[in-house]
Amino acid sequence: MTFDEFLPLLFMAVMGLAMLIYVVLDGYDLGVGMLLPFASDAEKDTMINSIGPFWDANETWLVLGVGVLLVAFPKAHGVVLTALYLPATLMLVGLVLRGVAFDFRVKVDTAYKPLWNRIFTSGSLLTSVCQGWMLGSYITGFSHHWSQIVFNLGVAFTLPFAYALLASGWLIMKTDGELMDKACRWGRISFWPMLAAIAFISAITPLVVPQIFQKWFTFPTLFALAPIPLATMLCLWGIHHVLSRPRVIQAGYGWLVFGLTAGVMTLSFLGLAYSQFPYVVLNQLTVWEAAAAPGSLKIILVGVVLTLPAILGYTAFSYKVFWGKAKELSYQ
């Protein structure tokens, strides 16, 4: 394989990495927004404070992923954004609502604070549902068959539970006392819908997309890919084990809930990547067909080499600086 042939694969990996990091990092703060109605007023402030230093930077990864799709795979960008125009627009509306509510809820009169809390929750839920629909649509290659529309709806209404479980793990790490106990309870409640969602998606995807069935359920590939579902089941068992044993959390191992949930998402991403490869858009455009000209990719590569380490660096730095337990939000 020549360097020119390798470049599209490299950019595909960068785009995939950016989207995976976005799902994990922005997933937990979307989940925190959806859990907000179940907390007291003081707990709401602590929950918001737990994501305050990070949530805006987390969305940088979405910008990077979509930006790489635009400049490195312009043909695929046209197909994807055309097919997902409405849910992508609604997702952006949800993100705007979150951003506005995040700032206004701490600056308005007390009487209006519950309104902005509800707007923050609504924006988080709208964003999560739209992302679920977009994921389902991408998996099915933007098909409009009724069975695949049902599949899209299933993913759209189950992804928020995955984000809620991720948020529960985050709050277990970042809070203590009664709020941490509530986070454990929210995690136990969210776990079962997430488990059902994973089972639903894993069982239905090969049925609605025959090409994926052929890639997974042939010999000897079936045995070679077995570590992915086995590792996923192990992570799920670990999440349930930690959440159902408060002593484990009190001993300082609550971070495992977040880490193992992120592990489940990473394994799911790897499974999806294998299922879709070598297509950027299933059965429509391969990585090489969708890629920009090699000369253009080489120029873009310079920007990626400078930008990606910078984003990774300031993300890691921000988490290091603001690590520790969150307290009640205050601007005084």
Side-chain angles (χ1 to χ4, degrees):
M1 179 179 292
T2 66
F3 184 69
D4 287 352
E5 294 172 331
F6 171 73
L7 271 177
L9 295 177
L10 177 62
F11 278 98
M12 190 69 178
V14 171
M15 183 175 68
L17 176 65
M19 299 310 295
L20 173 61
I21 295 176
Y22 168 77
V23 167
V24 173
L25 296 188
D26 206 40
Y28 76 74
D29 66 57
L30 287 169
V32 168
M34 290 184 286
L35 293 174
L36 215 59
F38 308 105
S40 67
D41 288 341
E43 290 169 343
K44 286 181 173 67
D45 288 339
T46 302
M47 292 167 67
I48 292 294
N49 197 31
S50 75
I51 64 174
F54 313 112
W55 75 278
D56 212 9
N58 292 343
E59 293 176 358
T60 305
W61 294 101
L62 177 62
V63 176
L64 177 62
V66 176
V68 171
L69 177 65
L70 171 63
V71 298
F73 304 101
K75 294 180 181 178
H77 180 272
V79 174
V80 172
L81 268 296
T82 298
L84 300 178
Y85 185 84
L86 180 58
T89 301
L90 292 175
M91 180 188 73
L92 293 176
V93 170
L95 292 173
V96 169
L97 289 175
R98 277 168 45 84
V100 173
F102 188 91
D103 286 327
F104 272 65
R105 67 176 300 281
V106 297
K107 298 177 182 177
V108 296
D109 293 335
T110 305
Y112 295 102
K113 191 173 180 179
L115 171 63
W116 288 106
N117 285 336
R118 288 193 292 270
I119 291 175
F120 188 80
T121 297
S122 300
S124 300
L125 180 60
L126 177 61
T127 301
S128 302
V129 170
C130 289
Q131 288 179 2
W133 176 273
M134 293 164 70
L135 175 61
S137 299
Y138 180 75
I139 292 173
T140 59
F142 310 116
S143 171
H144 298 292
H145 189 270
W146 69 267
S147 63
Q148 289 155 333
I149 292 176
V150 171
F151 175 79
N152 298 348
L153 287 171
V155 179
F157 286 105
T158 53
L159 184 63
F161 289 105
Y163 285 166
L165 180 58
L166 198 62
S168 299
W170 174 258
L171 292 173
I172 290 171
M173 292 192 299
K174 296 290 289 181
T175 63
D176 48 25
E178 186 176 351
L179 181 53
M180 186 177 73
D181 293 337
K182 283 187 177 181
C184 294
R185 185 166 68 252
W186 295 335
R188 289 192 293 269
I189 294 171
S190 303
F191 174 80
W192 295 108
M194 178 184 173
L195 181 62
I198 291 175
F200 167 80
I201 295 171
S202 301
I204 299 299
T205 299
L207 298 180
V208 298
V209 187
Q211 295 84 352
I212 294 179
F213 180 88
Q214 294 171 3
K215 293 191 73 170
W216 280 83
F217 296 97
T218 56
F219 295 96
T221 307
L222 179 62
F223 295 105
L225 295 175
I228 294 179
L230 290 176
T232 301
M233 289 188 287
L234 184 61
C235 287
L236 290 168
W237 175 85
I239 295 168
H240 181 262
H241 179 80
V242 174
L243 286 173
S244 59
R245 288 166 175 78
R247 289 179 299 177
V248 176
I249 294 175
Q250 294 297 334
Y253 295 99
W255 61 270
L256 284 170
V257 177
F258 182 87
L260 292 173
T261 306
V264 170
M265 292 182 169
T266 302
L267 291 166
S268 300
F269 172 82
L270 293 175
L272 175 62
Y274 173 77
S275 299
Q276 296 284 328
F277 188 81
Y279 292 99
V280 179
V281 180
L282 188 65
N283 294 333
Q284 296 185 44
L285 289 170
T286 66
V287 174
W288 296 278
E289 291 171 343
S296 300
L297 292 179
K298 291 174 183 176
I299 295 174
I300 299 167
L301 181 62
V302 176
V304 170
V305 168
L306 296 174
T307 303
L308 184 59
I311 299 176
L312 284 169
Y314 76 64
T315 298
F317 181 73
S318 66
Y319 277 86
K320 179 181 178 181
V321 170
F322 294 103
W323 198 248
K325 297 292 184 178
K327 302 300 180 183
E328 184 176 343
L329 183 65
S330 174
Y331 274 74
Q332 298 179 356

